[in-house]
């Protein structure tokens, strides 16, 4: 029987918001995670790993140009068209459940849902 589990991950709020923004752009184009990975010229699993938040993969500086070209942006600033992060670091509470086929049978992979996002900012030094 498939078991749900809760996983906690710490990451920068910027990485989290940037990943959500790129996912929104990708979905608006009707692209799968593999489609975007192909357009970027990275491994087919890369975007899926980034978007899952349970993997260590994140978009880095090197990926900015690849993303801008994939979306055919003339300016990289469009990649950052989302609100400024309120926090430096956050703690994600992720619900991880095994993926199922339409008939209910087990499938490869996992569904990951962020169920809570909380700040772990340290107080400013005086």
């Amino acid at each position: 029987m498939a078991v749900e589990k809760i996983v906690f991950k710490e990451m920068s709020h910027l990485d989290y918001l940037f990943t959500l923004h790129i996912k929104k752009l990708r979905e608006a184009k009707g692209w799968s995670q593999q489609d975007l990975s192909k357009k970027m010229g990275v491994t087919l699993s890369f975007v899926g790993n980034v978007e899952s938040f349970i993997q260590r993969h994140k978009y880095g500086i090197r990926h900015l140009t690849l993303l801008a070209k994939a979306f055919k942006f003339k300016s990289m600033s469009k990649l950052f068209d989302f609100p400024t992060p309120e926090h430096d670091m956050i703690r994600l509470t992720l619900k991880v459940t095994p993926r199922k086929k339409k008939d209910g049978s087990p499938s490869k992979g996992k569904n990951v849902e962020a169920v809570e996002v909380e700040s772990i900012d340290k107080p400013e030094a005086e």
Side-chain angles (χ1 to χ4, degrees), residues 14-33 35-37 40 46-48 50-51 53 58-60 63-71 73 75-82:
L14 176 60
D15 281 329
Y16 177 70
L17 294 176
F18 184 73
T19 300
L20 292 179
H21 179 65
I22 297 302
K23 179 179 180 179
K24 191 167 115 181
L25 292 172
R26 175 183 64 71
E27 289 174 340
K29 293 269 189 190
W31 296 345
S32 68
Q33 294 170 337
D35 291 336
L36 180 54
S37 292
M40 291 175 65
F46 178 75
V47 172
V50 171
E51 290 182 6
F53 296 119
K58 294 184 177 87
Y59 293 116
H63 299 114
L64 297 179
T65 301
L66 301 176
L67 285 163
K69 287 179 178 179
F71 288 109
F73 291 156
S75 169
M76 287 180 37
S77 65
K78 294 220 181 210
L79 293 174
F80 296 97
D81 190 15
F82 58 92

Side-chain angles (χ1 to χ4, degrees), residues 22 51-52 54-55 60 67 86 109-110:
I22 297 302
E51 290 182 6
S52 79
I54 58 174
Q55 302 290 329
L67 285 163
E86 294 179 28
K110 298 173 175 70

Side-chain angles (χ1 to χ4, degrees), residues 36-118:
L36 180 54
S37 292
K38 281 182 197 172
K39 290 174 186 302
M40 291 175 65
V42 294
T43 62
L44 292 180
S45 62
F46 178 75
V47 172
N49 288 336
V50 171
E51 290 182 6
S52 79
F53 296 119
I54 58 174
Q55 302 290 329
R56 294 182 338 169
H57 298 77
K58 294 184 177 87
Y59 293 116
I61 295 294
R62 160 178 183 261
H63 299 114
L64 297 179
T65 301
L66 301 176
L67 285 163
K69 287 179 178 179
F71 288 109
K72 296 186 175 13
F73 291 156
K74 301 255 187 266
S75 169
M76 287 180 37
S77 65
K78 294 220 181 210
L79 293 174
F80 296 97
D81 190 15
F82 58 92
T84 300
E86 294 179 28
H87 312 288
D88 176 27
M89 297 295 292
I90 58 170
R91 180 177 185 233
L92 295 176
T93 303
L94 303 168
K95 181 170 77 171
V96 182
T97 53
R99 213 174 260 154
K100 293 181 181 179
K101 295 178 183 174
K102 290 181 183 181
D103 66 4
S105 64
S107 177
K108 273 186 163 182
K110 298 173 175 70
N111 291 317
V112 181
E113 176 189 1
V115 293
E116 186 175 6
V117 179
E118 56 190 320

